[in-house]
Amino acid sequence: MKPARLAMLTFCFAVLFLHAGAQNPLIRNQYSADPTARVFGDRVYIYPSHDILATEGKGRVGWFCMEDYHVFSSANLTDWTDHGVIVTQNKVPWVRPDSYSMWAPDCIERNGKYYFYFPTTPNDTVAYGRGFRIGVAVADKPTGPFVPQPEPIKEVRGIDPNVFIDNDGQAYLYWSAGNIYGAKLKSNMLELDSEVKTLGELPTKGLKEGPYLFERNGIYYLTYPHVENKTERLEYATSDHPLGPFKFAGVIMDESASGCWTNHHSFIQFRNQWYLFYHDKDYSPRFDKARSIRADSLFFNADGTIKKVIPTLRGIGVTNAGSEIQVDRYSAISNDGVSVDFIDTANRFAGWKTNFTKHNGWIQYNNVDFGSTSPKRIAVNAMSENGGTLQIRTGNYDGPVIAEVTVPGSGGFAVSKAAVVKAVRNRQNLFVTSKDDKKISVDWVRFE
């Protein structure tokens, strides 16, 4: 087989079969940020930016560094497929190829075409001026291939493009550059069709960026990250028109507990549930320019105001009991005797482990689907220097024991199995508890 043919087959295999987990962060094999989620057909697609670590001669060391974009999709919010690179800085005619500034994008469908909007720096400052411009790439499918337009959108300077199409078919483009701006788009989705309007009814103190506009029950929600104090929190304002005037309405998500300086987000409604997509620095706790995307459920009050979203590790989606259940992405955890840390600090994409050190220490993982037939066995990938015993429960941390797993003493992770002694079916909340005071580290559990 020719090398080129083999390379193409290898790439296609990766695109088809590279999956990410259901928990937060959603993407488990690379850094990702600034997620725009969209529902196209019966799937959810995420268009994030792609953080990489800058090195000498490749970006600005210690700063944001992005050279391309991937797209991910899922039919169930649990299994995410990486469809590979869709746009890269070296293949856009007007982009400076060494800019490494492919920042927060967006994508929207109109009349069977998919329009991907992205900000970056141009290669010709005489023609396009200094600073960021916003370009468009067009495709026939949400996964591409996307063909970049030869020039950026005229009269638009800034970052964080967002596109909204109203019920009457009028499209709008929003972006940020110190303030947040909006304008109508022509039906070709490539040119402005109105004067640029500064959306000036928002808080004036601190940085505002990353606009995302959506409509629900006749209310237009303009949402954006805002530095009220030291780092960004997500806020929103409402109006009865896509270009305002807007009235400040509240905070969607508080400043990150991790101290991540940025946040950037989007909203979708999928199968009658609303979701918020955002980012944090899960895989890079000491460097907030290498971020990871997350998602949590979103709810509204009866008057249309948004209930504040509390970030979770468990995230969204239902986990199949037959998959490797990462209990370290927990829904709740006991106050004593349980902790979570990286399996390998030199390779954080290897994930996390749950450390049990005290009798009755427990961790809770919600929404596990056992189906209509109870499993026969459970497998646990765990490590314990002196050996120990885990109990698997449902319902509550002191609920019925469905399995008891003995983990032998060893110097590394190994799979231990045990019988499921009490039938378990349908969707359940799962609890892993320690039977003794011996240290046991758990990577995952799986039912068979």
Side-chain angles (χ1 to χ4, degrees):
M1 182 177 291
K2 293 182 179 180
R5 174 67 173 166
L6 177 60
M8 178 59 70
L9 288 176
T10 302
F11 171 76
C12 292
F13 183 87
V15 168
L16 288 173
F17 295 102
L18 178 60
H19 292 279
Q23 312 87 8
N24 285 329
L26 294 177
I27 308 306
R28 315 298 290 275
N29 66 340
Q30 61 187 263
Y31 298 119
S32 54
D34 312 317
T36 289
R38 295 291 186 185
V39 180
F40 297 138
D42 59 357
R43 295 183 71 85
V44 174
Y45 293 81
I46 304 178
Y47 299 86
S49 54
H50 180 200
D51 289 341
I52 59 176
L53 300 179
T55 56
E56 292 295 336
K58 187 175 182 178
R60 173 182 162 190
V61 176
W63 190 240
F64 299 105
C65 184
M66 300 98 112
E67 64 180 337
D68 58 33
Y69 299 99
H70 288 237
V71 59
F72 303 85
S73 76
S74 175
N76 59 9
L77 301 177
T78 297
D79 302 302
W80 292 94
T81 300
D82 182 357
H83 297 278
V85 174
I86 56 171
V87 173
T88 182
Q89 64 182 12
N90 296 323
K91 294 184 178 181
V92 181
W94 59 271
V95 173
R96 198 180 81 210
D98 62 346
S99 60
Y100 295 96
S101 57
M102 308 292 275
W103 288 14
D106 193 5
C107 187
I108 202 161
E109 183 272 338
R110 182 159 198 163
N111 297 329
K113 295 285 187 180
Y114 296 85
Y115 298 87
F116 181 78
Y117 298 80
F118 59 95
T120 190
T121 52
N123 56 14
D124 187 342
T125 57
V126 175
Y128 303 120
R130 296 185 178 276
F132 279 77
R133 302 298 299 266
I134 292 174
V136 190
V138 185
D140 293 324
K141 297 188 297 184
T143 55
F146 282 88
V147 178
Q149 297 297 297
E151 294 185 340
I153 303 174
K154 294 179 180 179
E155 301 172 11
V156 176
R157 298 178 185 274
I159 60 173
D160 303 337
N162 166 239
V163 177
F164 169 75
I165 301 177
D166 205 357
N167 296 323
D168 63 1
Q170 178 62 59
Y172 298 84
L173 175 67
Y174 303 87
W175 67 96
S176 59
N179 290 302
I180 293 177
Y181 302 90
K184 291 181 178 181
L185 278 172
K186 292 184 178 180
S187 59
N188 65 12
M189 305 298 285
L190 305 175
E191 301 172 90
L192 297 189
D193 197 25
S194 74
E195 301 247 336
V196 174
K197 182 175 181 180
T198 302
L199 306 183
E201 305 85 17
L202 308 176
T204 56
K205 173 189 174 184
L207 175 69
K208 299 181 297 296
E209 56 180 359
Y212 187 91
L213 188 130
F214 69 97
E215 182 269 339
R216 177 181 178 270
N217 296 338
I219 300 173
Y220 296 89
Y221 295 79
L222 176 62
T223 67
Y224 53 92
H226 174 217
V227 181
E228 173 68 21
N229 294 306
K230 294 182 178 180
T231 63
E232 290 184 342
R233 68 184 189 187
L234 300 182
E235 300 177 354
Y236 73 109
T238 59
S239 178
D240 59 3
H241 189 275
L243 291 176
F246 289 92
K247 181 180 179 181
F248 176 79
V251 176
I252 304 166
M253 177 177 283
D254 288 327
E255 297 175 348
S256 171
S258 73
C260 187
W261 188 81
T262 64
N263 201 350
H264 191 106
H265 64 296
S266 59
F267 298 83
I268 60 168
Q269 186 182 27
F270 184 62
R271 296 174 183 167
N272 299 316
Q273 175 61 53
W274 283 86
Y275 298 97
L276 168 67
F277 290 75
Y278 62 104
H279 70 232
D280 208 317
K281 55 175 184 172
D282 297 84
Y283 287 119
S284 181
R286 293 191 179 92
F287 182 60
D288 63 2
K289 311 301 183 292
R291 300 154 297 177
S292 298
I293 64 174
R294 292 175 158 213
D296 276 298
S297 298
L298 179 83
F299 300 93
F300 294 84
N301 296 306
D303 63 357
T305 55
I306 298 175
K307 293 185 178 181
K308 187 179 290 187
V309 178
I310 307 300
T312 74
L313 295 176
R314 175 60 185 87
I316 59 177
V318 177
T319 301
N320 188 291
S323 64
E324 294 179 358
I325 304 169
Q326 307 287 340
V327 294
D328 49 73
R329 307 292 86 193
Y330 56 82
S331 303
I333 192 170
S334 59
N335 292 327
D336 195 20
V338 185
S339 62
V340 172
D341 58 27
F342 287 105
I343 291 175
D344 181 359
T345 55
N347 176 24
R348 294 193 176 100
F349 290 118
W352 295 266
K353 59 185 176 182
T354 304
N355 301 312
F356 296 86
T357 56
K358 288 188 179 181
H359 171 62
N360 284 341
W362 57 268
I363 201 162
Q364 175 182 350
Y365 185 99
N366 289 349
N367 288 330
V368 178
D369 188 4
F370 288 88
S372 58
T373 304
S374 179
K376 306 287 187 190
R377 298 178 66 80
I378 184 174
V380 179
N381 191 35
M383 173 177 62
S384 178
E385 185 176 343
N386 299 311
T389 303
L390 296 169
Q391 292 180 328
I392 314 301
R393 303 172 183 265
T394 57
N396 207 335
Y397 66 88
D398 58 356
V401 176
I402 63 171
E404 190 168 284
V405 183
T406 298
V407 179
S410 68
F413 281 97
V415 176
S416 300
K417 296 188 177 183
V420 173
V421 297
K422 182 177 176 60
V424 56
R425 298 180 178 88
N426 303 320
R427 194 177 299 182
Q428 302 283 344
N429 294 340
L430 196 67
F431 293 80
V432 181
T433 66
S434 178
K435 191 178 180 181
D436 45 46
D437 291 331
K438 296 180 180 179
K439 182 178 179 179
I440 306 174
S441 296
V442 175
D443 181 10
W444 49 258
V445 304
R446 182 185 67 231
F447 289 88
E448 302 174 344

